[in-house]
């Protein structure tokens, strides 16, 4: 019940924020931090060539950053993927077809990344931990993971099974 309410609130926020994904969401609240977003990130030719195939076969694209920091690179990549998805299928809601996974050793920045991708309405999770010595595994301690509200939406719950 709580997860459903968070998902609804997150979708409302996401629809507002997704109009301009380049907004430094956490930066608006934490004025003492400087945020720089990579405006011109390009995700290899891989996406151009395989986006349609990947979406047809799997139904979604996954994006991972093992040293995500506060999420600048992930957000730039989300922007790029969103634009490319809109070219392939203009009516497609990118939030239903993109899974974001991140990890960072520093808890503060990992949680900043979690907040930002949550506010963008993207399904995913962030792990707090060293990506070299404490890699993500299926038998991990789940207390180290922060799951976005969209991760618990119906479409992503079905995909996990």
């Amino acid at each position: 019940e709580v997860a459903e309410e968070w998902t609804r609130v997150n979708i409302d926020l996401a629809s507002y924020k997704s109009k301009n994904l380049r907004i430094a969401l956490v930066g608006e609240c934490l004025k003492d931090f400087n945020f720089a977003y990579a405006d011109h990130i390009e995700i290899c030719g891989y996406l151009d060539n395989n986006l349609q195939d990947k979406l047809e076969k799997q139904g979604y694209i996954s994006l991972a950053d093992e040293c995500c920091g506060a999420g600048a690179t992930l957000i730039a990549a989300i922007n790029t993927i969103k634009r490319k998805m809109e070219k392939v299928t203009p009516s497609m809601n990118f939030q239903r077809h993109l899974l974001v996974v991140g990890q960072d050793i520093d808890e503060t920045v990992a949680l900043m990344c979690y907040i930002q991708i949550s506010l963008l309405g993207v399904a995913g999770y962030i792990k707090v931990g060293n990506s070299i010595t404490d890699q993500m595994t299926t038998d991990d301690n789940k207390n180290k993971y922060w799951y976005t509200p969209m991760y618990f939406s119906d479409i992503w719950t079905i995909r996990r099974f």
Side-chain angles (χ1 to χ4, degrees):
E1 185 175 290
V2 172
E4 287 177 19
E5 181 63 19
W6 267 106
T7 300
R8 187 193 62 71
V9 168
N10 194 50
I11 289 169
D12 292 344
L13 279 170
S15 65
Y16 169 75
K17 290 293 186 181
S18 68
K19 291 178 176 70
N20 185 358
L21 293 176
R22 293 178 55 219
I23 295 173
L25 303 174
V26 173
E28 292 174 4
C29 301
L30 303 173
K31 301 290 186 202
D32 294 338
F33 290 90
N34 292 318
F35 291 87
Y37 286 88
D39 288 337
H40 303 293
I41 189 169
E42 278 303 321
I43 302 172
C44 308
Y46 173 80
L47 243 132
D48 290 329
N49 300 329
N50 298 316
L51 179 63
Q52 187 76 31
D53 293 338
K54 186 100 168 150
L55 289 171
E56 286 175 9
K57 288 179 186 171
Q58 191 170 316
Y60 67 95
I61 292 178
S62 55
L63 174 64
D65 186 351
E66 293 83 14
C67 297
C68 65
T73 304
L74 282 175
I75 291 169
I78 291 167
N79 280 321
T80 300
I81 291 170
K82 178 182 183 278
R83 283 192 305 274
K84 292 184 184 290
M85 281 186 177
E86 287 172 346
K87 284 182 184 176
V88 171
T89 310
S91 62
M92 180 180 290
N93 179 351
F94 81 100
Q95 295 158 321
R96 297 174 60 88
H97 301 281
L98 178 62
L99 177 68
V100 175
V101 177
Q103 181 170 353
D104 203 277
I105 194 169
D106 184 282
E107 182 176 29
T108 301
V109 296
L111 295 180
M112 290 168 70
C113 180
Y114 162 77
I115 290 168
Q116 294 197 102
I117 65 171
S118 292
L119 289 174
L120 290 174
V122 179
Y125 49 91
I126 304 296
K127 179 182 178 183
V128 177
N130 187 327
S131 60
I132 296 173
T133 61
D134 188 17
Q135 297 177 359
M136 292 184 190
T137 62
T138 54
D139 60 339
D140 263 351
N141 176 354
K142 298 303 179 201
N143 292 334
K144 297 179 179 182
Y145 286 80
W146 288 78
Y147 298 91
T148 66
M150 187 62 86
Y151 187 76
F152 297 102
S153 66
D154 291 342
I155 188 83
W156 291 103
T157 300
I158 292 168
R159 287 182 178 147
R160 286 194 304 272
F161 291 111

